[in-house]
Amino acid sequence: MSDDILESLDWRGAPVDCTVCAHRDRRLDPGTAALPSGGKLDGRCLPLKACVQDRYAKRIQRFFEWNPDLSADHLDHPYFEVRANAARFAPIFQLPRLMSDPDETVRSVLARRLPRRLLLKLRDDPDREVRIAVASRLEDADLAPLMRDRDCSVRLRVVRRIPDGMLPAMMHDEDPEVRVEVARRLSMDWLPSLAWDDSPRVRLVVAQRLPPSKLHVLQQDTDWMVRLAVAGRIDAGQLGPLLDDPEEEVRAIARQRAAGFAAGLTIANDLPPL
Protein backbone atom coordinates (compact mmCIF):
# COMPACT_ATOMS: atom_id res chain seq x y z
CA MET A 1 0.00 0.00 0.00
CA SER A 2 3.02 2.30 -0.09
CA ASP A 3 2.74 5.29 -2.42
CA ASP A 4 5.70 6.96 -4.10
CA ILE A 5 4.44 10.54 -3.72
CA LEU A 6 4.91 11.69 -0.13
CA GLU A 7 2.84 14.85 -0.43
CA SER A 8 -0.86 15.51 -0.40
CA LEU A 9 -1.99 18.07 -2.98
CA ASP A 10 -5.41 18.53 -4.51
CA TRP A 11 -6.11 18.68 -8.26
CA ARG A 12 -5.38 22.42 -8.32
CA GLY A 13 -2.01 21.98 -6.59
CA ALA A 14 -3.03 23.25 -3.16
CA PRO A 15 -2.34 21.25 0.03
CA VAL A 16 -5.21 18.96 0.98
CA ASP A 17 -7.04 20.32 4.01
CA CYS A 18 -9.00 17.59 5.78
CA THR A 19 -10.71 20.09 8.08
CA VAL A 20 -12.82 21.49 5.23
CA CYS A 21 -13.48 18.17 3.50
CA ALA A 22 -17.10 17.01 3.32
CA HIS A 23 -15.95 13.53 4.34
CA ARG A 24 -13.82 14.50 7.31
CA ASP A 25 -16.00 12.33 9.54
CA ARG A 26 -14.52 9.28 7.81
CA ARG A 27 -10.91 10.30 8.31
CA LEU A 28 -8.59 7.97 10.18
CA ASP A 29 -5.55 9.18 12.08
CA PRO A 30 -2.48 8.15 10.05
CA GLY A 31 -0.53 7.60 13.27
CA THR A 32 -2.95 5.17 14.87
CA ALA A 33 -4.82 3.58 11.97
CA ALA A 34 -4.17 -0.14 11.68
CA LEU A 35 -5.10 -1.61 8.30
CA PRO A 36 -6.63 -5.09 8.21
CA SER A 37 -4.82 -7.87 6.35
CA GLY A 38 -6.71 -7.06 3.14
CA GLY A 39 -5.62 -3.42 3.30
CA LYS A 40 -9.20 -2.16 3.00
CA LEU A 41 -11.10 -0.01 5.47
CA ASP A 42 -14.75 0.24 4.45
CA GLY A 43 -16.27 3.66 4.97
CA ARG A 44 -12.97 5.33 5.80
CA CYS A 45 -10.31 7.60 4.32
CA LEU A 46 -6.66 7.91 5.23
CA PRO A 47 -4.31 10.78 4.31
CA LEU A 48 -1.64 9.74 1.76
CA LYS A 49 -3.47 6.43 1.24
CA ALA A 50 -7.13 6.93 0.38
CA CYS A 51 -8.36 10.44 -0.31
CA VAL A 52 -10.86 11.84 -2.80
CA GLN A 53 -9.33 15.32 -2.55
CA ASP A 54 -5.82 14.13 -3.42
CA ARG A 55 -4.79 14.55 -7.07
CA TYR A 56 -2.95 11.22 -7.08
CA ALA A 57 -5.10 8.69 -9.00
CA LYS A 58 -4.20 5.68 -6.83
CA ARG A 59 -5.39 7.42 -3.70
CA ILE A 60 -8.63 8.50 -5.36
CA GLN A 61 -9.30 4.97 -6.57
CA ARG A 62 -8.58 3.56 -3.13
CA PHE A 63 -11.01 6.07 -1.60
CA PHE A 64 -13.84 4.75 -3.77
CA GLU A 65 -12.81 1.15 -3.13
CA TRP A 66 -13.26 1.88 0.57
CA ASN A 67 -16.28 4.14 0.06
CA PRO A 68 -18.27 2.95 -2.97
CA ASP A 69 -21.41 4.47 -1.47
CA LEU A 70 -20.00 7.93 -2.22
CA SER A 71 -19.09 7.26 -5.85
CA ALA A 72 -22.34 8.52 -7.41
CA ASP A 73 -21.94 11.83 -5.59
CA HIS A 74 -18.67 12.55 -7.40
CA LEU A 75 -19.60 11.87 -11.03
CA ASP A 76 -19.73 15.62 -11.72
CA HIS A 77 -16.47 16.50 -9.98
CA PRO A 78 -14.31 19.00 -11.93
CA TYR A 79 -11.23 16.73 -11.77
CA PHE A 80 -11.31 13.98 -14.41
CA GLU A 81 -9.49 11.44 -12.19
CA VAL A 82 -12.24 11.74 -9.59
CA ARG A 83 -14.95 11.30 -12.22
CA ALA A 84 -13.17 8.35 -13.81
CA ASN A 85 -12.62 6.52 -10.54
CA ALA A 86 -16.10 7.29 -9.27
CA ALA A 87 -17.46 5.80 -12.52
CA ARG A 88 -15.72 2.51 -11.73
CA PHE A 89 -17.89 2.04 -8.64
CA ALA A 90 -21.07 4.04 -9.26
CA PRO A 91 -24.34 2.23 -10.08
CA ILE A 92 -24.60 1.60 -13.84
CA PHE A 93 -27.84 3.57 -14.14
CA GLN A 94 -25.90 6.68 -13.07
CA LEU A 95 -23.30 6.39 -15.86
CA PRO A 96 -25.11 7.44 -19.07
CA ARG A 97 -24.80 11.10 -18.18
CA LEU A 98 -21.02 10.75 -18.56
CA MET A 99 -21.12 9.47 -22.15
CA SER A 100 -20.30 12.96 -23.41
CA ASP A 101 -17.69 13.63 -20.76
CA PRO A 102 -14.87 15.82 -22.15
CA ASP A 103 -12.17 13.46 -20.87
CA GLU A 104 -11.37 10.20 -22.68
CA THR A 105 -10.27 8.52 -19.44
CA VAL A 106 -13.79 8.85 -18.09
CA ARG A 107 -15.34 7.59 -21.33
CA SER A 108 -12.94 4.62 -21.36
CA VAL A 109 -14.24 3.58 -17.96
CA LEU A 110 -17.77 3.78 -19.30
CA ALA A 111 -16.84 1.64 -22.30
CA ARG A 112 -15.89 -1.13 -19.87
CA ARG A 113 -19.15 -0.97 -17.92
CA LEU A 114 -22.06 0.21 -20.04
CA PRO A 115 -24.61 -2.29 -21.38
CA ARG A 116 -24.54 -3.13 -25.11
CA ARG A 117 -27.28 -0.71 -26.21
CA LEU A 118 -25.32 2.23 -24.81
CA LEU A 119 -21.91 0.83 -25.72
CA LEU A 120 -22.90 0.95 -29.40
CA LYS A 121 -23.09 4.73 -29.15
CA LEU A 122 -19.39 4.88 -28.25
CA ARG A 123 -18.20 3.16 -31.44
CA ASP A 124 -17.64 6.59 -33.01
CA ASP A 125 -15.87 8.10 -30.00
CA PRO A 126 -13.08 10.49 -31.10
CA ASP A 127 -10.51 8.79 -28.86
CA ARG A 128 -8.94 5.53 -30.02
CA GLU A 129 -8.50 4.14 -26.49
CA VAL A 130 -12.25 4.43 -25.96
CA ARG A 131 -12.92 2.68 -29.27
CA ILE A 132 -10.44 -0.08 -28.37
CA ALA A 133 -12.31 -0.61 -25.10
CA VAL A 134 -15.57 -0.75 -27.05
CA ALA A 135 -14.12 -3.28 -29.52
CA SER A 136 -12.96 -5.43 -26.61
CA ARG A 137 -16.56 -5.91 -25.48
CA LEU A 138 -18.69 -5.94 -28.61
CA GLU A 139 -19.28 -9.14 -30.55
CA ASP A 140 -20.16 -10.38 -34.05
CA ALA A 141 -22.05 -7.94 -36.28
CA ASP A 142 -21.76 -5.14 -33.72
CA LEU A 143 -18.05 -4.99 -34.61
CA ALA A 144 -18.63 -4.44 -38.34
CA PRO A 145 -18.41 -0.60 -38.30
CA LEU A 146 -15.09 -0.83 -36.44
CA MET A 147 -13.57 -3.04 -39.15
CA ARG A 148 -12.87 0.17 -41.08
CA ASP A 149 -11.83 2.27 -38.10
CA ARG A 150 -9.27 4.96 -38.91
CA ASP A 151 -6.87 3.64 -36.25
CA CYS A 152 -4.99 0.39 -36.85
CA SER A 153 -4.93 -0.44 -33.13
CA VAL A 154 -8.72 -0.52 -33.09
CA ARG A 155 -8.83 -2.70 -36.22
CA LEU A 156 -6.24 -5.01 -34.69
CA ARG A 157 -8.50 -5.57 -31.68
CA VAL A 158 -11.45 -6.11 -34.00
CA VAL A 159 -9.71 -8.70 -36.18
CA ARG A 160 -8.95 -10.77 -33.07
CA ARG A 161 -12.63 -10.84 -32.09
CA ILE A 162 -14.77 -11.01 -35.21
CA PRO A 163 -16.23 -14.36 -36.31
CA ASP A 164 -14.23 -16.35 -38.88
CA GLY A 165 -16.77 -15.57 -41.58
CA MET A 166 -16.03 -11.84 -41.33
CA LEU A 167 -12.25 -12.18 -41.70
CA PRO A 168 -12.11 -12.14 -45.53
CA ALA A 169 -13.44 -8.57 -45.44
CA MET A 170 -10.19 -7.54 -43.69
CA MET A 171 -7.75 -9.39 -45.96
CA HIS A 172 -6.79 -6.16 -47.72
CA ASP A 173 -6.47 -3.92 -44.68
CA GLU A 174 -3.89 -1.19 -45.25
CA ASP A 175 -1.90 -2.15 -42.14
CA PRO A 176 0.31 -5.27 -42.40
CA GLU A 177 -0.02 -5.93 -38.66
CA VAL A 178 -3.76 -6.32 -39.11
CA ARG A 179 -3.27 -8.60 -42.13
CA VAL A 180 -0.88 -10.78 -40.11
CA GLU A 181 -3.68 -11.36 -37.60
CA VAL A 182 -6.06 -12.11 -40.47
CA ALA A 183 -3.59 -14.67 -41.85
CA ARG A 184 -3.34 -16.36 -38.45
CA ARG A 185 -7.09 -16.91 -38.26
CA LEU A 186 -8.25 -17.14 -41.87
CA SER A 187 -9.77 -20.42 -43.05
CA MET A 188 -7.83 -22.62 -45.49
CA ASP A 189 -10.30 -21.77 -48.23
CA TRP A 190 -9.18 -18.14 -48.19
CA LEU A 191 -5.59 -18.39 -46.94
CA PRO A 192 -3.91 -19.02 -50.36
CA SER A 193 -5.09 -15.56 -51.46
CA LEU A 194 -2.61 -14.00 -49.02
CA ALA A 195 0.36 -15.82 -50.58
CA TRP A 196 0.87 -12.71 -52.74
CA ASP A 197 0.50 -10.16 -49.94
CA ASP A 198 2.90 -7.20 -50.05
CA SER A 199 4.16 -7.92 -46.54
CA PRO A 200 6.69 -10.76 -46.03
CA ARG A 201 5.38 -11.12 -42.46
CA VAL A 202 1.95 -11.98 -43.80
CA ARG A 203 3.39 -14.42 -46.35
CA LEU A 204 5.46 -16.06 -43.60
CA VAL A 205 2.29 -16.82 -41.65
CA VAL A 206 0.80 -18.26 -44.83
CA ALA A 207 3.90 -20.44 -45.32
CA GLN A 208 3.57 -21.69 -41.75
CA ARG A 209 -0.11 -22.59 -42.12
CA LEU A 210 -0.72 -23.81 -45.68
CA PRO A 211 -0.81 -27.59 -46.21
CA PRO A 212 2.57 -28.87 -47.51
CA SER A 213 1.00 -29.82 -50.84
CA LYS A 214 0.08 -26.18 -51.55
CA LEU A 215 3.35 -24.52 -50.57
CA HIS A 216 4.78 -24.61 -54.11
CA VAL A 217 3.22 -21.15 -54.71
CA LEU A 218 5.79 -19.72 -52.27
CA GLN A 219 8.87 -21.61 -53.46
CA GLN A 220 10.33 -18.54 -55.14
CA ASP A 221 9.14 -15.92 -52.70
CA THR A 222 11.33 -12.80 -52.59
CA ASP A 223 11.85 -13.12 -48.82
CA TRP A 224 14.30 -15.79 -47.68
CA MET A 225 12.52 -16.34 -44.35
CA VAL A 226 9.39 -17.30 -46.25
CA ARG A 227 11.38 -19.69 -48.46
CA LEU A 228 13.01 -21.16 -45.35
CA ALA A 229 9.60 -21.91 -43.88
CA VAL A 230 8.56 -23.48 -47.19
CA ALA A 231 11.74 -25.59 -47.38
CA GLY A 232 11.03 -27.01 -43.93
CA ARG A 233 7.41 -27.95 -44.64
CA ILE A 234 6.81 -28.56 -48.34
CA ASP A 235 6.48 -32.15 -49.59
CA ALA A 236 10.05 -33.35 -50.04
CA GLY A 237 9.36 -34.37 -53.59
CA GLN A 238 8.49 -30.73 -54.45
CA LEU A 239 11.62 -29.02 -53.12
CA GLY A 240 12.74 -28.20 -56.68
CA PRO A 241 14.33 -24.70 -56.89
CA LEU A 242 14.87 -24.59 -53.14
CA LEU A 243 17.74 -27.06 -53.54
CA ASP A 244 19.75 -24.30 -55.27
CA ASP A 245 18.33 -21.36 -53.35
CA PRO A 246 20.68 -18.33 -53.14
CA GLU A 247 20.35 -18.35 -49.35
CA GLU A 248 22.61 -20.91 -47.64
CA GLU A 249 20.20 -21.76 -44.82
CA VAL A 250 17.38 -22.44 -47.27
CA ARG A 251 19.61 -24.66 -49.45
CA ALA A 252 20.85 -26.55 -46.41
CA ILE A 253 17.43 -27.52 -45.07
CA ALA A 254 16.13 -28.28 -48.58
CA ARG A 255 19.05 -30.58 -49.39
CA GLN A 256 18.87 -32.26 -45.99
CA ARG A 257 15.21 -33.08 -46.51
CA ALA A 258 15.81 -34.17 -50.10
CA ALA A 259 18.56 -36.54 -48.99
CA GLY A 260 16.31 -38.03 -46.33
CA PHE A 261 13.51 -38.40 -48.87
CA ALA A 262 15.84 -40.15 -51.35
CA ALA A 263 17.15 -42.48 -48.64
CA GLY A 264 13.60 -43.39 -47.72
CA LEU A 265 12.80 -44.22 -51.33
CA THR A 266 15.89 -46.40 -51.58
CA ILE A 267 14.93 -48.36 -48.47
CA ALA A 268 11.38 -48.72 -49.74
CA ASN A 269 12.59 -50.02 -53.14
CA ASP A 270 14.91 -52.55 -51.47
CA LEU A 271 12.15 -54.09 -49.40
CA PRO A 272 10.81 -57.41 -50.69
CA PRO A 273 7.27 -57.31 -52.07
CA LEU A 274 4.49 -58.34 -49.73
Side-chain angles (χ1 to χ4, degrees):
M1 286 252 318
S2 63
D3 288 319
D4 297 328
I5 301 176
L6 299 179
E7 61 179 356
S8 185
L9 302 177
D10 66 18
W11 64 282
R12 291 163 295 194
V16 171
D17 184 357
C18 295
T19 63
V20 297
C21 178
H23 310 301
R24 58 186 177 274
D25 59 316
R26 302 195 179 202
R27 182 182 184 274
L28 290 168
D29 187 340
T32 60
L35 296 181
S37 58
K40 181 177 180 181
L41 287 166
D42 291 336
R44 296 289 185 270
C45 60
L46 187 62
L48 297 176
K49 294 297 179 185
C51 177
V52 74
Q53 305 299 339
D54 201 302
R55 66 182 179 185
Y56 192 28
K58 287 184 178 179
R59 295 170 187 167
I60 299 170
Q61 179 177 338
R62 196 173 293 133
F63 175 85
F64 289 118
E65 287 175 351
W66 294 6
N67 302 274
D69 59 306
L70 297 178
S71 56
D73 298 333
H74 291 79
L75 293 176
D76 298 313
H77 195 280
Y79 185 35
F80 78 94
E81 287 286 9
V82 173
R83 299 196 306 276
N85 281 288
R88 298 177 195 273
F89 299 93
I92 289 181
F93 69 87
Q94 297 271 10
L95 300 183
R97 71 181 198 245
L98 293 177
M99 291 179 64
S100 298
D101 192 277
D103 193 272
E104 64 274 9
T105 305
V106 178
R107 302 195 306 275
S108 291
V109 173
L110 265 59
R112 292 174 174 84
R113 295 199 62 202
L114 287 174
R116 173 185 171 276
R117 65 181 181 84
L118 295 177
L119 189 61
L120 293 174
K121 297 181 179 180
L122 291 176
R123 285 185 303 194
D124 296 324
D125 192 275
D127 186 81
R128 75 167 193 163
E129 294 300 327
V130 176
R131 300 196 305 278
I132 288 174
V134 170
S136 298
R137 292 189 57 213
L138 291 179
E139 297 179 354
D140 302 337
D142 288 342
L143 287 165
L146 293 172
M147 292 168 63
R148 295 290 178 263
D149 192 273
R150 60 188 177 276
D151 192 280
C152 65
S153 297
V154 177
R155 301 196 307 276
L156 193 59
R157 186 63 57 92
V158 170
V159 81
R160 291 169 178 165
R161 292 181 53 78
I162 56 176
D164 293 351
M166 296 172 67
L167 287 169
M170 300 191 74
M171 286 173 51
H172 304 294
D173 190 276
E174 65 184 30
D175 191 274
E177 195 71 30
V178 174
R179 299 198 306 277
V180 165
E181 289 299 319
V182 173
R184 286 173 178 162
R185 294 191 54 208
L186 202 60
S187 71
M188 288 299 167
D189 292 338
W190 289 93
L191 188 60
S193 300
L194 290 178
W196 291 273
D197 191 273
D198 291 338
S199 171
R201 293 186 58 219
V202 175
R203 301 195 305 274
L204 179 59
V205 175
V206 176
Q208 293 167 340
R209 290 194 60 213
L210 274 181
S213 61
K214 295 184 177 181
L215 285 172
H216 60 278
V217 297
L218 290 167
Q219 278 179 324
Q220 298 183 15
D221 192 272
T222 56
D223 188 87
W224 76 273
M225 289 293 292
V226 175
R227 299 196 307 276
L228 182 66
V230 172
R233 296 189 61 241
I234 196 170
D235 290 339
Q238 295 183 320
L239 284 164
L242 295 169
L243 296 170
D244 297 308
D245 192 272
E247 188 66 37
E248 181 180 354
E249 289 188 50
V250 179
R251 287 197 311 272
I253 192 170
R255 292 177 181 181
Q256 180 183 6
R257 293 191 65 225
F261 178 67
L265 286 179
T266 300
I267 293 173
N269 290 334
D270 290 343
L271 290 175
L274 296 176

